[in-house]
């Protein structure tokens, strides 16, 4: 076990790039497809606490269900927002990465570099063509 977990959505480019950066460090993480296997309430609360971010910072506002439920309304408590994320896992922003160095919502994908115990093993270019890591494993 590597000690690295990614809450991953394979349909998300940022999530795919983050997973690829983890693998570029020579590590195979535990991959949780959170849409199929969402975290428990306690698990989600623990992730949010470990990130040290407000609950609203973990909600994906670009989703249609966010608009439909009017989740931008300040009337919703943190507990209610967590209930919505559990009922509609697509509302959980991604990717969330847990490593021995911390827990973070990795947007942009290169934010994961601060969490990886091992250095990058070689060049890395994001799906959109943006170079992130050079051939010597250094940030561009």
């Amino acid at each position: 076990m590597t000690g690295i977990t990614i809450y991953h959505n394979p349909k998300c480019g940022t999530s795919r790039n983050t997973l690829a950066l983890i693998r570029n460090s020579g590590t195979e993480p535990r991959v949780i497809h959170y849409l199929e296997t969402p975290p428990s309430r306690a698990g989600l609360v623990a992730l949010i606490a470990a990130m040290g971010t407000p609950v609203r910072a973990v909600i994906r506002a670009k989703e249609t269900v966010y608009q439909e439920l009017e989740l931008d309304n300040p009337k919703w408590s943190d507990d209610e927002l967590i209930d919505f994320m559990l009922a509609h896992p697509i509302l959980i922003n991604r990717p969330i990465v847990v490593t021995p160095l911390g827990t973070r919502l990795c947007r942009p994908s290169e934010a994961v570099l601060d969490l990886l115990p091992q250095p990058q093993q070689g060049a890395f270019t994001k799906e959109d063509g943006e170079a992130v890591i050079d051939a010597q494993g250094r940030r561009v």
Side-chain angles (χ1 to χ4, degrees):
M1 196 61 134
T2 67
I4 297 177
T5 300
I6 179 172
Y7 290 83
H8 179 59
N9 179 349
K11 292 182 180 178
C12 172
T14 301
S15 196
R16 289 190 306 269
N17 283 321
T18 302
L19 178 56
L21 280 164
I22 295 168
R23 288 176 171 157
N24 197 48
S25 73
T27 302
E28 184 57 38
R30 176 176 169 224
V31 178
I32 297 175
H33 294 267
Y34 72 93
L35 294 177
E36 299 163 13
T37 310
S40 66
R41 169 176 268 287
L44 182 57
V45 168
L47 284 170
I48 294 168
M51 288 187 283
T53 61
V55 171
R56 287 190 179 275
V58 183
I59 297 177
R60 187 162 170 79
K62 293 181 179 180
E63 298 300 328
T64 304
V65 68
Y66 180 91
Q67 314 306 327
E68 291 170 352
L69 296 171
E70 299 178 3
L71 296 181
D72 59 341
N73 190 322
K75 74 177 183 177
W76 302 116
S77 70
D78 285 352
D79 282 339
E80 290 170 320
L81 293 171
I82 288 168
D83 287 340
F84 285 121
M85 286 189 279
L86 294 169
H88 308 278
I90 194 69
L91 290 170
I92 301 171
N93 212 344
R94 74 278 181 163
I96 296 173
V97 177
V98 179
T99 81
L101 301 180
T103 302
R104 183 177 295 170
L105 173 63
C106 292
R107 298 188 75 79
S109 55
E110 51 270 27
V112 75
L113 295 172
D114 296 329
L115 294 176
L116 297 176
Q118 300 298 320
Q120 294 291 289
Q121 302 296 306
F124 181 81
T125 302
K126 290 165 70 170
E127 290 179 2
D128 66 3
E130 179 186 351
V132 178
I133 304 295
D134 67 16
Q136 287 73 41
R138 297 180 303 234
R139 289 186 195 206
V140 175

